[in-house]
Amino acid sequence: MFLYYTIATLSVLLYLHGFFPIPARIATKPKYNNTSEAKPHNQKAVIVIIDALRLDFISEETTPFLAKTYKNTGCFTQLKVETPTVTLPRIKALTTGNVPQFIDIIVNLASPTKLDDSIIHRAHARKKNIVFYGDDIWLKLFPDHFKRSEGTSSFYVNDFKEVDDNVTRNVKHEINRTDWDIMILHYLGLDHIGHVFGPKSPLILTKLKEMDDIIEEIYNNSKQTLFIVTGDHGMRDSGGHGGSTFPETNVPLVVLGLPCKNDTFAQIDVPANLAVLLGLDIPTTSIGQLRSSLLSHLSLSRYLEALKYNTLLLREKTDLCEESIETAKHFHELYLMNKNEDLGNNAAKLYRDCSKKISERLLKSSVKQNVGSLFVATAMVGCVVLKILQKFSGVRTHHAHLEQVAMVTVLVVQFLELFSNLILMIVTSVIFLRNIVRFNLKHLAATTDLSFLTIVSVLHPLSFLSSSFLEEEHQFWYFFAGTFVSFKLFDEPRSWVLMFATIRFLRTINQVGDKWAAVPDLADWLLKRENHLFLQLACVLALSLSACSSFMLTKRKCMFIVDVLVLFLIYLYRMVVNENVVLGQVLWMLILLKFFYCSVRGHGLLPTWLLIANLLLKPYNLILIPMCVFASQHFHRALKAEDLVMAHWWMGNLLFFAQGHDNSLASVDISAGYVGLSNYEPALVVPQVLCHTYALPVLSHLLLFRNKQIDTNKCLSLFVMFRSYIIAVVFIVTFIHRHHLFIWSVFAPKIFAEASHFGFLFVEVSCHYLSQTINKFFI
Ligand SMILES: [Zn+2]
Ligand SMILES: [Zn+2]
């Protein structure tokens, strides 16, 4: 069976590869140049990017200097930001004027490669001296473009102060120097506060005031300078970013030192306008439009010249609008001959309409999926589901090895794109149909008991056909878990009432989804400064219950003492010493020692995993761990074998959402990856983030396998089958909706969420198989 799981995993990778292709490069040789001889309005420019700056963060109360000054000599623009609202793709949009691919999120975690063209390249080509301080992503995107620079790492989210102090220290030196033309600053502190405490924290106000003061200081020390203050993306109401809610996708753009008007436009329009303002060439990558609100100080002939230049540049990328551009050029020439303003305005309108049309078209068609890969991957996952079902129903498979080899070959060949899509699609269809024909539904129906939870699990992925159900998936799990428990109330009211109350309580801890995520929840209440005592109490209660449950599971006094010690240190770590790095490392060491001890004694992973979960979970979520253990105890007492397996499967999924996750990237808590670390080490941060994300599903699986009567391999097959089935439906749904308006904001993140569920389950299954093999080898 393991080979089939591997095939399913390969198929998931193939789908990702086909859905998020790596974009082709665009030619970088400029065909048109900015030929204007006129001097730009501003000699110098200061561009300040405040990471995760929300629209409502700029106001008279929060940033008094900025708010007052733009009203006198500048303007305020609401920038529309594309998803994914993650730093790297947004920096690319701000500098290249193009929408980067969704794949950039993955690249964001790895290291970014340098860009081919951007406003920075254009400034550099015109011999402008650029200085840069802030997020070191810039240094990787633009190596050797800066005269002076210093980068700070953006991945250590618990640092609110030093990242910004490093930037400000350099700014103080630069103010006194006169040899730079463009200064770019990228401040990270605000984003970090958002990740850890959310946008309502009092620390946000302090940080905004700090930013406001710095900008005031630079402003007072520079003359004839264009100031641009903006955010790369916003911040969702619950903190973090990556999704598509309004506060994430709308950021302010404050311009100082230029007569301009308030407006609303897209983030990708920034580089083209900036190029015109600074007298630079527009980057060839740009698909943005020029905005009259920013260029109102130009004379009509200068404005027309700039419009013509940008429109011709856009026209290079598509064949739209040919006739109108010719007409516009004609009006433009007539205007230049007899200076009739009406003709000039007509030309400007035609240029603007054309560039709008082209820009919108380019934005829509920026991604092209490989349909062959999507088809092959979906059908292969479908085959694996059928295979597992065949195994459950006891159907013997002939030539299994031959078929496995064929499946792997098709996947690899499709991945490398060696053959035409059509041939591989036909081969895949043959394999799939062969499995369908051999499938014996009657036999399967006769050999399996259909419990309520099984039926609901089969119906569950069908809800994804509606994008709202996708965003609010947790509602499905809560509702049917509640329904299941209420059926049980008829049999045994006393013991199940408590379970019912537990499910109700789970909903209050973290609000997730799209529509109600901002509604205050228990976690928000506990995180308020005035409620710190209650947070302490909740933490102590949860850790004590965890100690009890650990004792209940192992019944060993010496282990119990070690557990109490570790849990006490976890309390100190979270509540007393402010997540001290050394204590974090000590805790990991103790947990590792316990892991080795348990492995040698054959106690399995469960006792260690309990401690790992306690170490990684946020204090307000700790209560979920003993809840999970006690619920499992209850299931073991009260349920039959089939229901027992499904109940644990449901509990794992339910707790995943109860912990504060949903189908958006923004709900993944990156700050959980830094226990015992003081800087970004991908090899240590990524596993910690993953263990934190899947702590509770894994815990409920381990609690199930504790029962010796349960066939672990069969359960794992069942779990893999349900995951494969869900992901196959998600694949089909996203394929159907690939031109849908919500494809990048709702469906694409769901593919990522499901792929990572699947990937983590595969790791879990591999660990089980590995430990079984080792046991067989030694015993
Ligand atoms: Zn950012
Ligand atoms: Zn961030």
Side-chain angles (χ1 to χ4, degrees):
M1 269 291 122
F2 189 68
L3 195 61
Y4 285 116
Y5 306 157
T6 316
I7 289 172
T9 313
L10 288 177
S11 312
V12 172
L13 290 177
L14 178 67
Y15 195 95
L16 292 177
H17 180 72
F19 202 88
F20 307 108
I22 294 160
R25 294 179 168 220
I26 305 171
T28 53
K29 253 205 149 141
K31 200 166 173 190
Y32 301 97
N33 281 327
N34 184 1
T35 49
S36 168
E37 296 298 318
K39 263 195 170 178
H41 188 269
N42 302 91
Q43 293 302 312
K44 286 176 153 198
V46 174
I47 300 166
V48 185
I49 289 145
I50 303 174
D51 210 286
L53 187 69
R54 274 161 62 123
L55 211 51
D56 56 354
F57 282 175
I58 302 287
S59 71
E60 302 255 341
E61 289 79 45
T62 50
T63 53
F65 168 76
L66 268 176
K68 199 179 76 210
T69 318
Y70 85 71
K71 280 174 193 152
N72 292 335
T73 74
C75 55
F76 181 94
T77 296
Q78 177 181 344
L79 276 193
K80 301 256 173 216
V81 171
E82 297 289 317
T83 45
T85 45
V86 184
T87 303
L88 175 61
R90 302 289 41 100
I91 300 291
K92 287 191 181 174
L94 265 176
T95 52
T96 64
N98 207 328
V99 269
Q101 310 292 330
F102 206 83
I103 199 82
D104 276 322
I105 299 186
I106 304 174
V107 185
N108 195 11
L109 291 173
S111 78
T113 48
K114 62 176 192 177
L115 289 176
D116 291 333
D117 195 13
S118 72
I119 184 87
I120 309 288
H121 288 73
R122 297 290 148 206
H124 194 246
R126 289 272 168 129
K127 304 269 181 305
K128 299 276 182 193
N129 289 325
I130 314 171
V131 292
F132 171 81
Y133 301 101
D135 192 339
D136 58 4
I137 281 184
W138 288 75
L139 303 182
K140 289 172 189 151
L141 292 174
F142 311 105
D144 30 85
H145 282 79
F146 301 125
K147 187 176 168 70
R148 284 184 295 276
S149 62
E150 189 185 317
T152 49
S153 171
S154 61
F155 287 104
Y156 188 58
V157 292
N158 290 326
D159 171 16
F160 309 146
K161 197 171 174 303
E162 230 161 274
V163 269
D164 289 353
D165 288 351
N166 280 339
V167 180
T168 307
R169 175 168 44 80
N170 285 304
V171 171
K172 307 238 157 156
H173 295 305
E174 292 297 345
I175 290 177
N176 302 320
R177 293 188 178 124
T178 51
D179 61 345
W180 53 265
D181 304 295
I182 301 174
M183 173 155 76
I184 303 172
L185 310 171
H186 187 150
Y187 280 101
L188 290 164
L190 186 74
D191 170 70
H192 291 183
I193 298 173
H195 278 290
V196 181
F197 296 111
K200 296 195 182 81
S201 157
L203 288 176
I204 294 272
L205 295 178
T206 328
K207 183 54 84 180
L208 287 173
K209 184 75 182 64
E210 178 192 330
M211 297 288 108
D212 198 47
D213 291 344
I214 292 160
I215 293 165
E216 181 171 9
E217 190 176 346
I218 312 173
Y219 186 83
N220 290 336
N221 283 293
S222 18
K223 285 187 197 84
Q224 281 242 316
T225 305
L226 173 70
F227 269 77
I228 296 205
V229 181
T230 185
D232 52 345
H233 47 73
M235 185 191 291
R236 61 156 46 186
D237 287 332
S238 49
H241 53 89
S244 54
T245 60
F246 182 86
E248 284 167 282
T249 52
N250 286 275
V251 298
L253 174 94
V254 180
V255 178
L256 307 181
L258 180 84
C260 55
K261 299 189 190 94
N262 296 355
D263 197 2
T264 301
F265 52 80
Q267 192 177 38
I268 50 163
D269 295 342
V270 173
N273 288 287
L274 199 57
V276 174
L277 288 175
L278 297 177
L280 306 172
D281 298 333
I282 297 174
T284 44
T285 42
S286 164
I287 60 168
Q289 307 165 47
L290 292 185
R291 295 295 170 175
S292 55
S293 55
L294 284 182
L295 306 176
S296 57
H297 65 285
L298 297 181
S299 66
L300 185 55
S301 57
R302 260 295 284 132
Y303 178 52
L304 279 174
E305 196 182 322
L307 274 177
K308 178 181 171 190
Y309 164 45
N310 191 47
T311 315
L312 291 180
L313 208 70
L314 287 173
R315 229 276 307 280
E316 284 291 293
K317 300 184 176 78
T318 163
D319 47 11
L320 280 177
C321 249
E322 254 164 69
E323 261 175 47
S324 331
I325 291 182
E326 287 313 311
T327 324
K329 275 187 183 166
H330 182 64
F331 279 136
H332 190 171
E333 276 160 25
L334 287 178
Y335 164 76
L336 289 180
M337 276 190 294
N338 51 31
K339 296 286 170 198
N340 178 336
E341 286 230 350
D342 289 341
L343 287 170
N345 288 333
N346 276 344
K349 187 176 181 309
L350 281 169
Y351 281 136
R352 274 200 306 264
D353 290 350
C354 270
S355 49
K356 179 164 188 267
K357 209 164 157 188
I358 300 174
S359 175
E360 279 168 3
R361 162 73 71 87
L362 289 171
L363 199 59
K364 256 189 202 156
S365 65
S366 56
V367 179
K368 243 193 155 71
Q369 282 104 5
N370 184 338
V371 177
S373 296
L374 305 188
F375 180 86
V376 170
T378 312
M380 286 296 179
V381 177
C383 287
V384 172
V385 174
L386 290 174
K387 274 283 165 225
I388 298 174
L389 281 176
Q390 279 173 15
K391 182 145 194 260
F392 284 159
S393 63
V395 173
R396 293 256 217 97
T397 41
H398 303 284
H399 311 300
H401 289 305
L402 210 66
E403 194 183 44
Q404 286 165 350
V405 171
M407 286 165 94
V408 173
T409 317
V410 170
L411 286 169
V412 173
V413 171
Q414 177 64 40
F415 200 86
L416 300 174
E417 293 175 24
L418 296 177
F419 274 132
S420 86
N421 278 345
L422 192 67
I423 298 174
L424 291 169
M425 279 158 82
I426 292 170
V427 176
T428 315
S429 308
V430 171
I431 298 177
F432 186 73
L433 288 175
R434 183 171 173 270
N435 275 296
I436 289 269
V437 170
R438 294 170 52 81
F439 190 66
N440 190 337
L441 192 65
K442 262 189 208 157
H443 195 99
L444 183 75
T447 48
T448 41
D449 292 330
L450 279 183
S451 69
F452 172 75
L453 287 180
T454 318
I455 296 169
V456 183
S457 299
V458 173
L459 296 178
H460 158 237
L462 303 181
S463 67
F464 297 159
L465 285 167
S466 141
S467 63
S468 303
F469 269 109
L470 237 171
E471 284 174 328
E472 311 291 333
E473 194 191 338
H474 55 287
Q475 306 281 12
F476 183 95
W477 295 98
Y478 282 129
F479 179 76
F480 283 103
T483 313
F484 173 71
V485 171
S486 35
F487 285 158
K488 295 284 167 195
L489 279 175
F490 292 111
D491 308 341
E492 230 187 299
R494 238 187 300 158
S495 61
W496 285 94
V497 150
L498 193 64
M499 195 54 82
F500 199 80
T502 309
I503 292 178
R504 185 64 199 87
F505 172 70
L506 282 181
R507 302 188 66 137
T508 60
I509 302 181
N510 290 294
Q511 286 286 354
V512 295
D514 189 49
K515 293 184 179 61
W516 296 281
V519 175
D521 49 37
L522 191 62
D524 291 336
W525 187 81
L526 284 173
L527 283 177
K528 281 188 183 155
R529 200 170 276 174
E530 63 266 29
N531 297 332
H532 191 68
L533 183 68
F534 293 99
L535 184 65
Q536 298 245 7
L537 288 176
C539 188
V540 170
L541 176 72
L543 291 170
S544 321
L545 287 173
S546 269
C548 297
S549 48
S550 171
F551 183 68
M552 200 171 72
L553 294 172
T554 53
K555 302 249 163 41
R556 264 168 240 273
K557 266 195 201 130
C558 62
M559 289 254 265
F560 177 66
I561 295 167
V562 176
D563 285 350
V564 169
L565 173 72
V566 173
L567 292 171
F568 176 68
L569 289 178
I570 291 176
Y571 170 77
L572 290 184
Y573 175 75
R574 289 287 179 200
M575 290 294 156
V576 181
V577 294
N578 200 12
E579 314 198 346
N580 179 289
V581 175
V582 179
L583 185 56
Q585 287 164 351
V586 169
L587 277 164
W588 270 119
M589 291 297 249
L590 286 172
I591 289 175
L592 266 181
L593 283 177
K594 174 151 182 179
F595 172 71
F596 286 123
Y597 175 79
C598 289
S599 313
V600 172
R601 286 299 179 97
H603 296 321
L605 186 62
L606 179 60
T608 322
W609 192 261
L610 265 175
L611 293 183
I612 294 179
N614 272 298
L615 176 60
L616 292 177
L617 255 56
K618 296 275 144 167
Y620 52 82
N621 278 334
L622 283 176
I623 192 72
L624 295 172
I625 299 168
M627 272 175 150
C628 182
V629 177
F630 292 128
S632 166
Q633 290 291 93
H634 178 66
F635 293 154
H636 276 96
R637 250 181 283 127
L639 292 176
K640 288 183 293 178
E642 315 80 65
D643 267 349
L644 185 65
V645 175
M646 287 313 288
H648 279 85
W649 166 247
W650 269 72
M651 183 161 69
N653 285 308
L654 192 73
L655 289 175
F656 173 79
F657 291 103
Q659 199 195 332
H661 296 119
D662 53 30
N663 288 321
S664 124
L665 289 158
S667 72
V668 177
D669 186 354
I670 325 166
S671 67
Y674 289 90
V675 176
L677 291 176
S678 56
N679 49 20
Y680 179 62
E681 305 266 0
L684 295 173
V685 172
V686 174
Q688 287 198 62
V689 171
L690 284 173
C691 287
H692 170 258
T693 311
Y694 295 102
L696 294 164
V698 172
L699 182 63
S700 50
H701 298 170
L702 290 171
L703 285 165
L704 172 67
F705 301 151
R706 193 169 57 88
N707 188 333
K708 292 284 174 292
Q709 282 151 2
I710 294 286
D711 179 350
T712 311
N713 288 350
K714 195 177 168 191
C715 285
L716 286 174
S717 288
L718 190 77
F719 294 166
V720 174
M721 189 201 72
F722 273 119
R723 274 278 160 242
S724 307
Y725 167 60
I726 294 173
I727 208 164
V729 178
V730 171
F731 284 172
I732 295 169
V733 170
T734 34
F735 182 75
I736 297 169
H737 286 312
R738 68 191 188 285
H739 300 301
H740 193 284
L741 186 63
F742 293 157
I743 187 71
W744 300 114
S745 54
V746 179
F747 295 102
K750 179 62 181 168
I751 297 184
F752 264 108
E754 276 311 322
S756 80
H757 284 327
F758 194 92
F760 201 81
L761 185 62
F762 183 69
V763 173
E764 214 184 315
V765 172
S766 308
C767 289
H768 272 278
Y769 274 83
L770 191 71
S771 72
Q772 273 176 5
T773 324
I774 292 172
N775 277 351
K776 256 186 227 157
F777 191 73
F778 283 109
I779 299 162

